Amino acid sequence: YILSGFGLMLVKYLCEAAMIYSFTEKFYQPLDFLNPLISVRQKYFAAPAPEWLAWAFILWSLPFLWIAVSMSVRRSVDAGKNAWLGLWVFVPIINLCMMIYLSLLPTDKRYGSNLAQDPHLGEPLIEHRLSSALLGIAASATICITMVSLCVYLIQDYGAALFMGTPIVMGATSAYIYNRPYSRGVLSSIMVAELSIFLSGLILLLFAFEGIICLAMLLPIAGAMAILGALIGVMIASVQPQRSITLLIPISLLPVLAGAEHAVRDLPEYEVLTTIEIDAPPERVWPNVVGFSELTDPPNWYFQLGIAYPKRATIVGSGVGAVRHCEFSTGAFVEPITAWEQPTRLAFDVQSQPPPMHELSPYRHVHPPHLDGYLRCKRGEFRLIALDNGRTRLEGRTWYQYDIFPQSYWTLWTDRLIHSIHQRVLSHIKQLSESSSSPL
């Protein structure tokens, strides 16, 4: 346990530190490496790091995570302790203490005879399998509702403990209950775990906790984490008999993780750049950048589901200090001008912004807390670059912060949507600038 745990930890740190330094010339602090909170590591994945680096680290970390959890669970059982104690390797600070504690414990002589079940027991009737699955799903749904209430409405934190830790524990709990007292296989256990995720999402929708769009965006990561949890649950069910009360051990991890994440927040700034080429000189394009008329083209289908999209832009005054109003389907962005370099650059801050979407829901009005202030657009900029033959390359930039973790996942969606918004605006400016009626 010592050789595999600490040896692989050293190998992982050296490889990650070398990768981070090669792309960013930043030194990967050992304390940041030891801290399992994803929010702590976001600063290493901001520019100039490539966008794919964070995802590469996540995929690279999965086998190490599985080894750490499985070895800790088995070491705990080997020492005669509760198998669920191995999951404390997820908790910052405590994980190191737990690894040292497990390393010091002697092997319990009873290990080997303390099996999860008698292999000669026959498979129970089909209704027993169904009742075990339903009980596991009900327990997982209870965990989900409890964590949403705690994280979202009590401590107001949308962190990895909610979006990653909770699906893992839900999958582990449902699979463990499903496989007790009879082992029923990995594939069916994964199906039970995935069903618990889907039905829990349906409960959140029916009780107006969330809307369809956000649940659909959450489903891929929650489903993937549930598979990992199901594997953990099956493993624990196979190595040691447990009483139902011991399920409180993994469940208790979630509030601890949520509280730790809430105390540590590092919000990097993300930049989205979109460009377009226009058959008009910068002098003709500039007036349409400062303010543009109603966008008459119908929005893309995903905007029609409720995601905010631009409709028009107006400006009060001119030069630095003027205030631009970019009106979206959900309200207006108020943008004080910070740079007026006619006809090459227009920059602005974002003083206030509307909600990023109207949630799609069977109810008339659903407004979850994450629609208020968790996606924060900080500033924007247009650059007009003169090209040959009287043409212009128009660049649109937006800088934003996202207070929802894991950011590496959620910014995939956000970047694509902001690109779509940019493209809609830039295409409209192109159409206006290339028309014969556009002012010179």
Side-chain angles (χ1 to χ4, degrees):
Y1 179 75
I2 294 173
L3 290 176
S4 63
F6 293 97
L8 289 175
M9 184 184 299
L10 179 61
V11 171
K12 187 173 185 290
Y13 169 71
L14 293 175
C15 291
E16 292 182 0
M19 183 71 72
I20 288 175
Y21 187 81
S22 65
F23 282 106
T24 67
E25 296 187 354
K26 296 178 181 178
F27 176 63
Y28 193 16
Q29 298 289 339
L31 289 179
D32 289 342
F33 169 78
L34 294 175
N35 194 328
L37 294 180
I38 295 177
S39 55
V40 172
R41 307 179 188 181
Q42 292 296 327
K43 59 186 176 183
Y44 296 105
F45 303 131
E51 294 182 359
W52 53 264
L53 185 62
W55 279 99
F57 268 52
I58 291 176
L59 295 177
W60 153 264
S61 297
L62 288 179
F64 290 92
L65 178 62
W66 172 250
I67 293 173
V69 173
S70 61
M71 289 293 293
S72 297
V73 167
R74 294 180 182 277
R75 177 78 264 270
S76 181
V77 175
D78 176 71
K81 304 300 180 181
N82 193 288
W84 290 110
L85 288 176
L87 296 192
W88 282 94
V89 296
F90 284 115
V91 182
I93 308 302
I94 297 177
N95 57 348
L96 296 178
C97 298
M98 182 59 66
M99 291 180 67
I100 295 173
Y101 172 68
L102 292 176
S103 298
L104 296 176
L105 290 175
T107 296
D108 192 318
K109 294 181 179 179
R110 296 172 299 173
Y111 179 70
S113 61
N114 194 15
L115 298 176
Q117 62 184 51
D118 186 340
H120 300 293
L121 287 175
E123 171 67 17
L125 297 175
I126 186 64
E127 57 265 25
H128 294 166
R129 178 191 291 258
L130 179 60
S131 63
S132 295
L134 292 176
L135 182 60
I137 292 171
S140 295
T142 302
I143 294 171
C144 176
I145 297 298
T146 301
M147 281 302 295
V148 169
S149 301
L150 172 67
C151 293
V152 175
Y153 294 97
L154 183 60
I155 65 176
Q156 298 181 343
D157 180 88
Y158 286 88
L162 177 63
F163 294 124
M164 298 180 70
T166 299
I168 289 176
V169 173
M170 289 172 62
T173 300
S174 60
Y176 174 79
I177 293 175
Y178 178 64
N179 283 274
R180 298 301 305 156
Y182 300 92
S183 177
R184 296 185 171 100
V186 173
L187 183 59
S188 60
S189 300
I190 291 176
M191 293 176 63
V192 170
E194 294 295 334
L195 188 59
S196 71
I197 295 294
F198 176 79
L199 292 180
S200 296
L202 189 60
I203 292 173
L204 293 178
L205 177 65
L206 293 179
F207 284 89
F209 282 99
E210 274 294 349
I212 295 175
I213 297 176
C214 290
L215 289 175
M217 293 167 65
L218 172 62
L219 188 60
I221 188 172
M225 294 301 102
I227 293 175
L228 176 59
L231 295 176
I232 294 172
V234 171
M235 177 184 62
I236 293 179
S238 68
V239 298
Q240 188 184 53
Q242 305 284 333
R243 292 177 297 174
S244 298
I245 192 66
T246 61
L247 285 172
L248 295 177
I249 296 176
I251 295 172
S252 66
L253 295 174
L254 296 176
V256 175
L257 282 172
E261 275 199 306
H262 187 65
V264 180
R265 273 290 181 258
D266 186 15
L267 298 180
E269 204 169 72
Y270 297 91
E271 176 186 350
V272 179
L273 168 65
T274 310
T275 64
I276 195 171
E277 292 190 2
I278 302 174
D279 290 325
E283 293 78 11
R284 185 187 297 270
V285 177
W286 175 264
N288 299 315
V289 169
V290 172
F292 51 83
S293 60
E294 187 85 24
L295 280 78
T296 57
D297 294 337
N300 294 327
W301 64 269
Y302 43 86
F303 288 132
Q304 297 182 38
L305 294 177
I307 297 174
Y309 61 90
K311 302 175 70 174
R312 69 188 70 85
T314 59
I315 192 166
V316 178
S318 63
V320 174
V323 179
R324 187 171 181 266
H325 297 264
C326 190
E327 297 184 32
F328 276 61
S329 56
T330 57
F333 283 80
V334 179
E335 303 166 343
I337 303 300
T338 57
W340 183 288
E341 302 170 10
Q342 185 175 352
T344 59
R345 178 172 174 258
L346 181 72
F348 50 86
D349 288 337
V350 177
Q351 187 179 81
S352 63
Q353 65 183 73
M357 69 174 70
H358 290 306
E359 269 290 9
L360 188 63
S361 170
Y363 302 101
R364 183 174 182 179
H365 179 74
V366 172
H367 195 87
H370 64 76
L371 297 183
D372 296 320
Y374 286 85
L375 171 59
R376 296 192 286 271
C377 294
K378 306 297 291 183
R379 62 188 191 280
E381 180 183 84
F382 290 99
R383 286 185 180 269
L384 295 79
I385 302 172
L387 303 176
D388 295 336
N389 301 320
R391 304 175 71 246
T392 301
R393 181 169 73 245
L394 178 60
E395 298 179 349
R397 284 181 172 85
T398 295
W399 288 268
Y400 72 95
Q401 290 180 329
Y402 212 4
D403 198 6
I404 298 181
F405 293 80
Q407 292 169 323
S408 301
Y409 175 76
W410 292 107
T411 53
L412 289 176
W413 298 90
T414 308
D415 284 359
R416 184 171 295 275
L417 290 173
I418 293 178
H419 271 302
S420 298
I421 291 170
H422 283 179
Q423 193 62 50
R424 178 173 169 82
V425 171
L426 298 185
S427 297
H428 184 62
I429 293 175
K430 174 182 172 72
Q431 180 182 2
L432 293 174
S433 302
E434 290 178 351
S435 67
S436 58
S437 60
S438 180
L440 287 171

